[in-house]
């Protein structure tokens, strides 16, 4: 884990983090959600709420209590359909009349590979999915949402989740669970797709935002450095997996226990999901072969590359870190 320098904010108390921008911490801390979910409130009089959070009475009250006299909520924006981000959207919409805007339901945005895996019913995963999530309005990639004194561009950024959107003000970028400062994100197939994740990270990097406002944890003040670290971290993990497979075929679980030596045992299942995501990505790039269908218990081996008789060249294994694996 990378140390997070800033102090944990108080639950349910709006923190001012910019002009017409506040953050309210939801009461759902855990190893996967860090302090809890960040609900952002943007605007001067007619407000956008980004990620209402879990279905929690106290958090609903905290969001409504944050409204000053003369303020109302005009838009409810959701980064992705995980239970710690989206379920309160429907109730907040009923209370306020504001529509819920998102890329799509919990299955929207999956790659063809992940659709096939999900249809096979064998890949596991599905942790924390808000299967009932139903947005009122669907946002396309690049679509602009404009309110009272604020404007956001929706960026379809799958990887952590197929229907994941980031929202870019041109200065701040609400990065959901794609990029956070305290941990590398969980990528668990079929909702998580590492091939998409790497492409989405590269895309955010090319926009060079001034600040990332993640779904969990403190703002990220140096987004390009964080994205460079994240991309290098994933590439390092890929090298470590290929090196380990040079010793013979292995399952995602066996690789996770071998590579995630610093990870608490309770988080090894999440680490194994991240390894599986890597293996599926490597499989898609024909660098590894599956001994059977793509499945958590399947053994993978290095692909035979014509003209290469030696196993893959061993490279130095970088340090492995991060509570959620990667
Ligand atoms: Zn999530």
């Amino acid at each position: 884990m990378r140390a997070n320098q800033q102090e944990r904010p108080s639950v349910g108390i709006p923190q001012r983090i910019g002009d017409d921008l506040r953050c309210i911490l939801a009461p759902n801390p855990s190893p996967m959600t860090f302090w809890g979910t960040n609900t952002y409130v943007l605007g001067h009089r007619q407000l956008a709420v980004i990620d209402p959070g879990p279905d929690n009475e106290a958090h609903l009250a905290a969001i409504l209590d944050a409204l000053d006299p003369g303020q109302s909520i005009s838009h409810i924006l959701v980064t992705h359909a995980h239970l710690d981000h989206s379920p309160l959207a429907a109730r907040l919409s009923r209370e306020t009349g504001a529509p819920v805007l998102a890329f799509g339901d919990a299955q929207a945005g999956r790659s063809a590979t992940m659709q096939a895996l999900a249809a096979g019913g064998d890949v596991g995963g599905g942790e924390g999915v808000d299967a009932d999530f139903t947005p009122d309005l669907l946002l396309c990639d690049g679509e602009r949402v404009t309110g009272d004194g604020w404007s956001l561009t929706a960026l379809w950024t799958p990887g952590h989740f197929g229907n994941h959107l980031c929202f870019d003000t041109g200065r701040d970028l609400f990065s959901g669970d794609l990029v956070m400062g305290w941990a590398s994100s969980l990528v668990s197939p079929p909702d998580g797709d590492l091939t998409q994740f790497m492409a989405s990270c590269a895309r955010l990097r090319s926009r060079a935002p001034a600040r990332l406002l993640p779904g969990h944890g403190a703002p990220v003040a140096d987004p390009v450095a964080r994205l460079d670290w994240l991309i290098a971290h994933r590439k390092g993990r890929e090298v470590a997996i290929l090196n380990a497979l040079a010793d013979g075929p292995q399952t995602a679980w066996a690789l996770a226990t071998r590579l995630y030596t610093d990870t608490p045992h309770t988080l090894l299942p999440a680490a194994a999901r991240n390894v599986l995501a890597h293996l599926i990505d490597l499989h898609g790039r024909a660098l590894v072969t599956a001994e059977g269908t793509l499945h958590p218990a399947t053994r993978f081996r290095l692909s035979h590359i014509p003209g290469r008789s030696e196993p893959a060249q061993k490279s130095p294994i970088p340090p492995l870190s991060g509570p959620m694996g990667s």
Side-chain angles (χ1 to χ4, degrees), residues 51-52 79 113 262 305:
D51 279 353
T79 60
T113 302
D262 290 344
I305 297 176

Side-chain angles (χ1 to χ4, degrees), residues 92-147:
L92 187 62
S93 178
R94 280 198 297 276
E95 290 283 338
T96 62
V100 178
L101 289 75
F103 183 79
D105 66 18
Q107 303 207 359
R110 275 185 182 160
S111 64
T113 302
M114 293 305 158
Q115 283 178 30
L117 280 175
D122 247 3
V123 75
E127 306 88 349
V129 172
D130 180 6
D132 296 331
F133 179 61
T134 313
D136 299 312
L137 297 169
L138 303 185
L139 293 172
C140 301
D141 182 38
E143 191 165 344
R144 208 156 177 77
V145 185
T146 302

Side-chain angles (χ1 to χ4, degrees), residues 134-287:
T134 313
D136 299 312
L137 297 169
L138 303 185
L139 293 172
C140 301
D141 182 38
E143 191 165 344
R144 208 156 177 77
V145 185
T146 302
D148 175 26
W150 55 265
S151 186
L152 299 166
T153 302
L155 302 172
W156 178 51
T157 42
H160 170 73
F161 204 95
N163 76 353
H164 195 287
L165 291 174
C166 292
F167 299 104
D168 190 359
T169 67
R171 201 196 95 77
D172 286 331
L173 192 147
F174 298 91
S175 56
D177 283 5
L178 184 77
V179 184
M180 303 181 283
W182 64 282
S184 49
S185 300
L186 177 68
V187 179
S188 176
D191 301 306
D193 181 317
L194 193 72
T195 312
Q196 291 180 326
F197 182 87
M198 296 299 275
S200 292
C201 286
R203 187 176 179 205
L204 289 200
R205 193 192 185 287
S206 73
R207 296 181 77 90
R211 183 170 67 159
L212 297 180
L213 300 173
H216 309 276
V220 177
D222 193 346
V224 169
R226 180 60 179 160
L227 283 158
D228 282 346
W229 181 88
L230 206 54
I231 291 165
H233 180 66
R234 290 281 176 180
K235 287 185 174 162
R237 186 59 47 98
E238 177 180 301
V239 169
I241 289 169
L242 290 171
N243 282 346
L245 288 178
D247 293 339
Q250 290 174 70
T251 63
W253 179 261
L255 288 164
T257 54
R258 177 168 166 178
L259 299 177
Y260 287 71
T261 50
D262 290 344
T263 299
H265 196 75
T266 51
L267 291 175
L268 270 180
R273 299 302 301 176
N274 270 315
V275 173
L276 182 65
H278 272 283
L279 290 167
I280 292 170
D281 172 60
L282 290 165
H283 184 264
R285 293 155 57 198
L287 291 169

